[in-house]
Amino acid sequence: MTYDFLIEMGWKSAAIAGGALLLAALLRSRAAADRGAVLKVAVALLLALPAIALFAPALEIETAAPASAPLAAASPSTPPSFEAIAGEPIPAANLAAPQAGGWDDPSLLFFLLYAGGVAMVGGRLLAGLWTLRRW
């Protein structure tokens, strides 16, 4: 699985869950069975979402590419570049190369977000069990 797939599943799951909760809130004057049916359909959609995303054809959206302005025509209001002042390009050895596996790798962020969610749910469970034991 790629990070793009995980991000896609995250926002689609949030949209489905949010829509279902909003619809259930709008149906508060109806029977509880109706609200329960809406929430059951939402859970079924959430469970089927990865299979739908993997096996259903993707929707291709084509957009027109914006016309790019020529780079050689600089306006008088823009400051001149270093190359124009010095008359020679900057050597590639002086440029800092990005480090592999550094801050560009979001796997640590995803792990920390997941671990934070597990900690919050686990903490809530332990607080509930402690309260129940006190009673």
Side-chain angles (χ1 to χ4, degrees), residues 77-132:
S77 64
T78 59
S81 65
F82 179 76
E83 293 178 8
I85 296 171
E88 59 186 46
I90 301 171
N94 292 342
L95 299 176
Q99 298 176 355
W103 291 105
D104 293 338
D105 187 19
S107 60
L108 179 64
L109 177 64
F110 285 126
F111 173 73
L112 290 176
L113 288 173
Y114 180 77
V118 168
M120 287 191 303
V121 170
R124 175 67 178 102
L125 176 66
L126 290 176
L129 289 174
W130 181 73
T131 302
L132 184 63

Side-chain angles (χ1 to χ4, degrees), residues 9-25:
M9 289 299 105
W11 74 262
K12 286 182 179 180
S13 298
I16 291 171
L21 290 173
L22 181 66
L23 187 59

Side-chain angles (χ1 to χ4, degrees), residues 20 23-40:
L23 187 59
L26 291 175
L27 295 175
R28 67 177 172 252
S29 63
R30 304 277 307 254
D34 295 341
R35 295 189 306 269
V38 167
L39 296 175
K40 287 176 187 176

Side-chain angles (χ1 to χ4, degrees), residues 8 16 24 36 45 47-48 80 84 102 124 127:
E8 179 183 356
I16 291 171
L45 280 174
L47 292 174
R124 175 67 178 102

